[in-house]
Amino acid sequence: MRTAKNQKSSALRTVFIFLLYMFLGMVVGGVIFLSYFLIRPQTVEIPDVKGFEIDRAIEELKRSGVKPGQIFGTGLVDHTYPNAGQKVRKNRTVIIFLREPQQMTIPDLVGAPKETAVKVLTEMGFQIRIVQMPFKGTDGRVMGIYPPAGSSLKQNGEVSILVDSGEPGEGSGSEK
């Protein structure tokens, strides 16, 4: 059995080790905290380039210390992301949105599977409306597209696709 003296020295040793770890933790934490404030990344403010031509906007963004990134639309600059006036890290990529959505040519997707047509049109930035119609032939294929293939349409415009939903009379509730 332990004696009272051994128990007391064991408790003192445990308290000493606890205090030592606590002190080391505070020192390490303090060094990390101070180094963050001493070696903090430089920040810049996003300039307001609304109404600028795209070339001038890109120059202004570069001059302020950020990198111009993707550009959406056509015409003059409408806004950026992050927004003008926000403070960000230097060399941050900024997305530029122009006033007019970009005109895109509608691809010929007649005969393609519905899933492929939806994916292609969505990635191009169009809204899709699917119209299903029973027809003899391969189920799930695009039978028509409106506006027609080769037409120009602004991004975010609506494209309707006519899809074969199967044999006429199937799924109508009547049995043969």
Side-chain angles (χ1 to χ4, degrees), residues 119-136:
K119 182 177 181 181
V120 167
L121 293 169
T122 302
E123 287 179 3
M124 291 179 74
F126 295 121
Q127 301 295 317
I128 296 129
R129 186 168 61 119
I130 299 172
V131 179
Q132 295 191 350
M133 183 176 115
F135 190 77
K136 290 184 178 185

Side-chain angles (χ1 to χ4, degrees), residues 5-149:
K5 189 176 183 178
N6 283 347
Q7 286 179 345
K8 190 175 182 181
S9 69
S10 176
L12 283 174
R13 188 174 344 168
T14 303
V15 169
F16 175 75
I17 290 172
F18 172 77
L19 290 174
L20 179 66
Y21 281 127
M22 183 184 238
F23 177 75
L24 289 173
M26 288 185 340
V27 169
V28 169
V31 167
I32 292 171
F33 180 78
L34 288 175
S35 67
Y36 173 77
F37 284 102
L38 295 175
I39 311 172
R40 183 175 17 187
Q42 186 179 3
T43 59
V44 295
E45 186 174 321
I46 304 288
D48 186 6
V49 293
K50 184 174 184 167
F52 286 23
E53 293 283 337
I54 189 63
D55 295 337
R56 183 172 168 222
I58 289 172
E59 286 176 29
E60 189 66 28
L61 290 168
K62 286 179 180 178
R63 195 174 13 257
S64 72
V66 294
K67 291 189 244 176
Q70 290 181 305
I71 301 168
F72 294 101
T74 60
L76 301 176
V77 175
D78 184 56
H79 66 281
T80 60
Y81 180 80
N83 298 319
Q86 268 189 293
K87 291 196 180 269
V88 296
R89 285 185 175 179
K90 189 173 183 173
N91 294 320
R92 163 99 186 247
T93 300
V94 176
I95 301 170
I96 303 169
F97 294 91
L98 305 177
R99 289 190 178 154
E100 289 295 318
Q102 192 170 356
Q103 290 276 95
M104 303 289 286
T105 301
I106 298 172
D108 185 5
L109 297 167
V110 174
K114 176 180 101 175
E115 295 78 22
T116 302
V118 168
K119 182 177 181 181
V120 167
L121 293 169
T122 302
E123 287 179 3
M124 291 179 74
F126 295 121
Q127 301 295 317
I128 296 129
R129 186 168 61 119
I130 299 172
V131 179
Q132 295 191 350
M133 183 176 115
F135 190 77
K136 290 184 178 185
T138 308
D139 296 348
R141 298 280 177 180
V142 174
M143 298 186 332
I145 190 165
Y146 184 82

